Amino acid sequence: MNEYNASARPGSTRPGSRWAPPIRNPEHTEPWDQISDEHRNEINDCFHLFDMNKDEQLDFSEFRYALQALGFSNVSRPDLIAAFKSAARPRPGWTPLPALPNQPPPQPTPGVVDLRLSREGFQAIAARYVAARDPREELLKTFALFDRGGKGVITVDDLRSVVKELGEDVPDNELHSMIEQFDVEGKGGVSREEFLGIFLDR
């Protein structure tokens, strides 16, 4: 589904690594430049998926579901509305409603339902959420996928199972080497802390 790649926005020079923490470089102040290429691709994929009528714009409902698909399901509605309104523009052809006798005056500015968010606007908002997310959350979810049975460590048997499921042919001596390299305490498996260190201490 990666029809749109990271080149959809300029300045995308970072290697594709979903687990890398955001770049803390003063030269890259935009959130889009702080996230990985894989996250950029996911953001673009979500925009394409939830742009239901393919007009290169999201209404508020589409925007909300797209953020949820990226893993941001706990953002409060007021925060979602504020983020949406900060980057959205009136839909094409919007005009204020006519005034009616004995009725409250119509809103002079468009409401949330009359706003539309461009691809660039969605990229900016979603990248801001991704860049602010603790990278350990995703790493620990990945750890849990490797740690069969919730033992608290990833063992050679765990790696062997994953490799088999992926259809790869990795010799046992290489699997043992992977574990031994990062099993600092020699306990026969890689702990959560050691697993985080593999990715965050680079």
PDB file of all heavy atoms in Angstrom, residues 34-52:
ATOM      1  N   GLN A  34      12.069  14.892  11.883  1.00  0.00           N
ATOM      2  CA  GLN A  34      12.558  14.201  13.073  1.00  0.00           C
ATOM      3  C   GLN A  34      12.137  12.735  13.118  1.00  0.00           C
ATOM      4  O   GLN A  34      12.611  11.990  13.967  1.00  0.00           O
ATOM      5  CB  GLN A  34      12.037  14.901  14.339  1.00  0.00           C
ATOM      6  CG  GLN A  34      12.536  16.326  14.496  1.00  0.00           C
ATOM      7  CD  GLN A  34      11.944  16.982  15.728  1.00  0.00           C
ATOM      8  OE1 GLN A  34      11.138  16.387  16.432  1.00  0.00           O
ATOM      9  NE2 GLN A  34      12.348  18.213  15.999  1.00  0.00           N
ATOM     10  N   ILE A  35      11.251  12.327  12.212  1.00  0.00           N
ATOM     11  CA  ILE A  35      10.739  10.962  12.269  1.00  0.00           C
ATOM     12  C   ILE A  35      11.360  10.130  11.155  1.00  0.00           C
ATOM     13  O   ILE A  35      11.937  10.653  10.204  1.00  0.00           O
ATOM     14  CB  ILE A  35       9.196  10.940  12.180  1.00  0.00           C
ATOM     15  CG1 ILE A  35       8.716  11.506  10.852  1.00  0.00           C
ATOM     16  CG2 ILE A  35       8.593  11.721  13.341  1.00  0.00           C
ATOM     17  CD1 ILE A  35       7.207  11.439  10.658  1.00  0.00           C
ATOM     18  N   SER A  36      11.224   8.806  11.290  1.00  0.00           N
ATOM     19  CA  SER A  36      11.851   7.895  10.336  1.00  0.00           C
ATOM     20  C   SER A  36      11.090   7.871   9.017  1.00  0.00           C
ATOM     21  O   SER A  36       9.921   8.251   8.927  1.00  0.00           O
ATOM     22  CB  SER A  36      11.898   6.487  10.924  1.00  0.00           C
ATOM     23  OG  SER A  36      10.597   5.947  11.006  1.00  0.00           O
ATOM     24  N   ASP A  37      11.773   7.392   7.981  1.00  0.00           N
ATOM     25  CA  ASP A  37      11.133   7.262   6.677  1.00  0.00           C
ATOM     26  C   ASP A  37       9.943   6.310   6.741  1.00  0.00           C
ATOM     27  O   ASP A  37       8.932   6.526   6.069  1.00  0.00           O
ATOM     28  CB  ASP A  37      12.148   6.739   5.644  1.00  0.00           C
ATOM     29  CG  ASP A  37      13.137   7.811   5.211  1.00  0.00           C
ATOM     30  OD1 ASP A  37      12.884   8.998   5.486  1.00  0.00           O
ATOM     31  OD2 ASP A  37      14.154   7.459   4.600  1.00  0.00           O
ATOM     32  N   GLU A  38      10.046   5.260   7.547  1.00  0.00           N
ATOM     33  CA  GLU A  38       8.931   4.321   7.642  1.00  0.00           C
ATOM     34  C   GLU A  38       7.715   4.982   8.265  1.00  0.00           C
ATOM     35  O   GLU A  38       6.579   4.739   7.852  1.00  0.00           O
ATOM     36  CB  GLU A  38       9.332   3.081   8.452  1.00  0.00           C
ATOM     37  CG  GLU A  38       8.231   2.031   8.470  1.00  0.00           C
ATOM     38  CD  GLU A  38       8.700   0.679   8.959  1.00  0.00           C
ATOM     39  OE1 GLU A  38       9.918   0.501   9.122  1.00  0.00           O
ATOM     40  OE2 GLU A  38       7.838  -0.187   9.184  1.00  0.00           O
ATOM     41  N   HIS A  39       7.931   5.825   9.267  1.00  0.00           N
ATOM     42  CA  HIS A  39       6.802   6.551   9.848  1.00  0.00           C
ATOM     43  C   HIS A  39       6.207   7.516   8.821  1.00  0.00           C
ATOM     44  O   HIS A  39       4.988   7.697   8.770  1.00  0.00           O
ATOM     45  CB  HIS A  39       7.259   7.320  11.088  1.00  0.00           C
ATOM     46  CG  HIS A  39       7.317   6.478  12.319  1.00  0.00           C
ATOM     47  ND1 HIS A  39       8.414   6.454  13.145  1.00  0.00           N
ATOM     48  CD2 HIS A  39       6.421   5.624  12.869  1.00  0.00           C
ATOM     49  CE1 HIS A  39       8.186   5.630  14.148  1.00  0.00           C
ATOM     50  NE2 HIS A  39       6.989   5.110  14.004  1.00  0.00           N
ATOM     51  N   ARG A  40       7.051   8.146   8.016  1.00  0.00           N
ATOM     52  CA  ARG A  40       6.524   9.033   6.980  1.00  0.00           C
ATOM     53  C   ARG A  40       5.640   8.254   6.009  1.00  0.00           C
ATOM     54  O   ARG A  40       4.570   8.724   5.607  1.00  0.00           O
ATOM     55  CB  ARG A  40       7.679   9.703   6.228  1.00  0.00           C
ATOM     56  CG  ARG A  40       8.503  10.675   7.049  1.00  0.00           C
ATOM     57  CD  ARG A  40       9.509  11.372   6.132  1.00  0.00           C
ATOM     58  NE  ARG A  40      10.401  12.226   6.888  1.00  0.00           N
ATOM     59  CZ  ARG A  40      11.693  11.986   7.067  1.00  0.00           C
ATOM     60  NH1 ARG A  40      12.246  10.904   6.553  1.00  0.00           N
ATOM     61  NH2 ARG A  40      12.441  12.824   7.765  1.00  0.00           N
ATOM     62  N   ASN A  41       6.120   7.082   5.620  1.00  0.00           N
ATOM     63  CA  ASN A  41       5.327   6.261   4.705  1.00  0.00           C
ATOM     64  C   ASN A  41       3.996   5.853   5.332  1.00  0.00           C
ATOM     65  O   ASN A  41       2.958   5.830   4.660  1.00  0.00           O
ATOM     66  CB  ASN A  41       6.121   5.016   4.302  1.00  0.00           C
ATOM     67  CG  ASN A  41       7.258   5.340   3.345  1.00  0.00           C
ATOM     68  OD1 ASN A  41       7.197   6.317   2.610  1.00  0.00           O
ATOM     69  ND2 ASN A  41       8.285   4.518   3.355  1.00  0.00           N
ATOM     70  N   GLU A  42       4.007   5.510   6.615  1.00  0.00           N
ATOM     71  CA  GLU A  42       2.766   5.134   7.299  1.00  0.00           C
ATOM     72  C   GLU A  42       1.786   6.302   7.321  1.00  0.00           C
ATOM     73  O   GLU A  42       0.575   6.118   7.137  1.00  0.00           O
ATOM     74  CB  GLU A  42       3.071   4.680   8.727  1.00  0.00           C
ATOM     75  CG  GLU A  42       3.751   3.325   8.809  1.00  0.00           C
ATOM     76  CD  GLU A  42       4.062   2.924  10.237  1.00  0.00           C
ATOM     77  OE1 GLU A  42       3.929   3.785  11.132  1.00  0.00           O
ATOM     78  OE2 GLU A  42       4.427   1.769  10.449  1.00  0.00           O
ATOM     79  N   ILE A  43       2.294   7.497   7.577  1.00  0.00           N
ATOM     80  CA  ILE A  43       1.440   8.682   7.595  1.00  0.00           C
ATOM     81  C   ILE A  43       0.812   8.898   6.217  1.00  0.00           C
ATOM     82  O   ILE A  43      -0.398   9.139   6.089  1.00  0.00           O
ATOM     83  CB  ILE A  43       2.247   9.919   8.041  1.00  0.00           C
ATOM     84  CG1 ILE A  43       2.582   9.821   9.533  1.00  0.00           C
ATOM     85  CG2 ILE A  43       1.473  11.212   7.739  1.00  0.00           C
ATOM     86  CD1 ILE A  43       3.562  10.866  10.015  1.00  0.00           C
ATOM     87  N   ASN A  44       1.612   8.801   5.171  1.00  0.00           N
ATOM     88  CA  ASN A  44       1.088   8.988   3.823  1.00  0.00           C
ATOM     89  C   ASN A  44       0.093   7.890   3.453  1.00  0.00           C
ATOM     90  O   ASN A  44      -0.923   8.147   2.793  1.00  0.00           O
ATOM     91  CB  ASN A  44       2.235   9.026   2.816  1.00  0.00           C
ATOM     92  CG  ASN A  44       2.985  10.337   2.841  1.00  0.00           C
ATOM     93  OD1 ASN A  44       2.407  11.384   3.101  1.00  0.00           O
ATOM     94  ND2 ASN A  44       4.275  10.295   2.572  1.00  0.00           N
ATOM     95  N   ASP A  45       0.381   6.654   3.867  1.00  0.00           N
ATOM     96  CA  ASP A  45      -0.546   5.553   3.599  1.00  0.00           C
ATOM     97  C   ASP A  45      -1.896   5.790   4.275  1.00  0.00           C
ATOM     98  O   ASP A  45      -2.957   5.517   3.692  1.00  0.00           O
ATOM     99  CB  ASP A  45       0.046   4.229   4.087  1.00  0.00           C
ATOM    100  CG  ASP A  45       1.143   3.711   3.170  1.00  0.00           C
ATOM    101  OD1 ASP A  45       1.258   4.231   2.042  1.00  0.00           O
ATOM    102  OD2 ASP A  45       1.892   2.805   3.577  1.00  0.00           O
ATOM    103  N   CYS A  46      -1.857   6.265   5.535  1.00  0.00           N
ATOM    104  CA  CYS A  46      -3.103   6.523   6.260  1.00  0.00           C
ATOM    105  C   CYS A  46      -3.901   7.638   5.603  1.00  0.00           C
ATOM    106  O   CYS A  46      -5.133   7.563   5.517  1.00  0.00           O
ATOM    107  CB  CYS A  46      -2.803   6.863   7.718  1.00  0.00           C
ATOM    108  SG  CYS A  46      -2.565   5.403   8.759  1.00  0.00           S
ATOM    109  N   PHE A  47      -3.222   8.666   5.139  1.00  0.00           N
ATOM    110  CA  PHE A  47      -3.936   9.744   4.446  1.00  0.00           C
ATOM    111  C   PHE A  47      -4.643   9.182   3.218  1.00  0.00           C
ATOM    112  O   PHE A  47      -5.831   9.447   2.983  1.00  0.00           O
ATOM    113  CB  PHE A  47      -2.975  10.851   4.032  1.00  0.00           C
ATOM    114  CG  PHE A  47      -3.646  12.003   3.338  1.00  0.00           C
ATOM    115  CD1 PHE A  47      -4.097  13.096   4.055  1.00  0.00           C
ATOM    116  CD2 PHE A  47      -3.853  11.985   1.962  1.00  0.00           C
ATOM    117  CE1 PHE A  47      -4.748  14.151   3.421  1.00  0.00           C
ATOM    118  CE2 PHE A  47      -4.512  13.026   1.317  1.00  0.00           C
ATOM    119  CZ  PHE A  47      -4.949  14.113   2.056  1.00  0.00           C
ATOM    120  N   HIS A  48      -3.923   8.390   2.430  1.00  0.00           N
ATOM    121  CA  HIS A  48      -4.496   7.830   1.212  1.00  0.00           C
ATOM    122  C   HIS A  48      -5.675   6.905   1.534  1.00  0.00           C
ATOM    123  O   HIS A  48      -6.699   6.923   0.851  1.00  0.00           O
ATOM    124  CB  HIS A  48      -3.422   7.062   0.445  1.00  0.00           C
ATOM    125  CG  HIS A  48      -3.919   6.371  -0.774  1.00  0.00           C
ATOM    126  ND1 HIS A  48      -4.419   7.034  -1.866  1.00  0.00           N
ATOM    127  CD2 HIS A  48      -4.007   5.045  -1.071  1.00  0.00           C
ATOM    128  CE1 HIS A  48      -4.792   6.163  -2.791  1.00  0.00           C
ATOM    129  NE2 HIS A  48      -4.553   4.950  -2.333  1.00  0.00           N
ATOM    130  N   LEU A  49      -5.536   6.100   2.590  1.00  0.00           N
ATOM    131  CA  LEU A  49      -6.581   5.137   2.947  1.00  0.00           C
ATOM    132  C   LEU A  49      -7.857   5.820   3.404  1.00  0.00           C
ATOM    133  O   LEU A  49      -8.962   5.401   3.037  1.00  0.00           O
ATOM    134  CB  LEU A  49      -6.059   4.215   4.053  1.00  0.00           C
ATOM    135  CG  LEU A  49      -7.037   3.166   4.587  1.00  0.00           C
ATOM    136  CD1 LEU A  49      -7.406   2.178   3.491  1.00  0.00           C
ATOM    137  CD2 LEU A  49      -6.426   2.431   5.781  1.00  0.00           C
ATOM    138  N   PHE A  50      -7.729   6.884   4.201  1.00  0.00           N
ATOM    139  CA  PHE A  50      -8.919   7.513   4.787  1.00  0.00           C
ATOM    140  C   PHE A  50      -9.424   8.701   3.985  1.00  0.00           C
ATOM    141  O   PHE A  50     -10.451   9.291   4.356  1.00  0.00           O
ATOM    142  CB  PHE A  50      -8.635   7.904   6.236  1.00  0.00           C
ATOM    143  CG  PHE A  50      -8.528   6.715   7.144  1.00  0.00           C
ATOM    144  CD1 PHE A  50      -7.296   6.158   7.449  1.00  0.00           C
ATOM    145  CD2 PHE A  50      -9.670   6.117   7.656  1.00  0.00           C
ATOM    146  CE1 PHE A  50      -7.196   5.045   8.266  1.00  0.00           C
ATOM    147  CE2 PHE A  50      -9.589   5.010   8.470  1.00  0.00           C
ATOM    148  CZ  PHE A  50      -8.345   4.464   8.783  1.00  0.00           C
ATOM    149  N   ASP A  51      -8.749   9.058   2.916  1.00  0.00           N
ATOM    150  CA  ASP A  51      -9.282  10.058   1.986  1.00  0.00           C
ATOM    151  C   ASP A  51     -10.316   9.349   1.115  1.00  0.00           C
ATOM    152  O   ASP A  51     -10.041   8.935  -0.009  1.00  0.00           O
ATOM    153  CB  ASP A  51      -8.146  10.635   1.133  1.00  0.00           C
ATOM    154  CG  ASP A  51      -8.639  11.621   0.091  1.00  0.00           C
ATOM    155  OD1 ASP A  51      -9.780  12.099   0.216  1.00  0.00           O
ATOM    156  OD2 ASP A  51      -7.872  11.903  -0.860  1.00  0.00           O
ATOM    157  N   MET A  52     -11.514   9.180   1.663  1.00  0.00           N
ATOM    158  CA  MET A  52     -12.520   8.296   1.084  1.00  0.00           C
ATOM    159  C   MET A  52     -12.920   8.679  -0.338  1.00  0.00           C
ATOM    160  O   MET A  52     -13.105   7.823  -1.197  1.00  0.00           O
ATOM    161  CB  MET A  52     -13.764   8.261   1.978  1.00  0.00           C
ATOM    162  CG  MET A  52     -13.503   7.717   3.375  1.00  0.00           C
ATOM    163  SD  MET A  52     -12.848   6.028   3.348  1.00  0.00           S
ATOM    164  CE  MET A  52     -12.784   5.666   5.094  1.00  0.00           C
TER     165      MET A  52
END
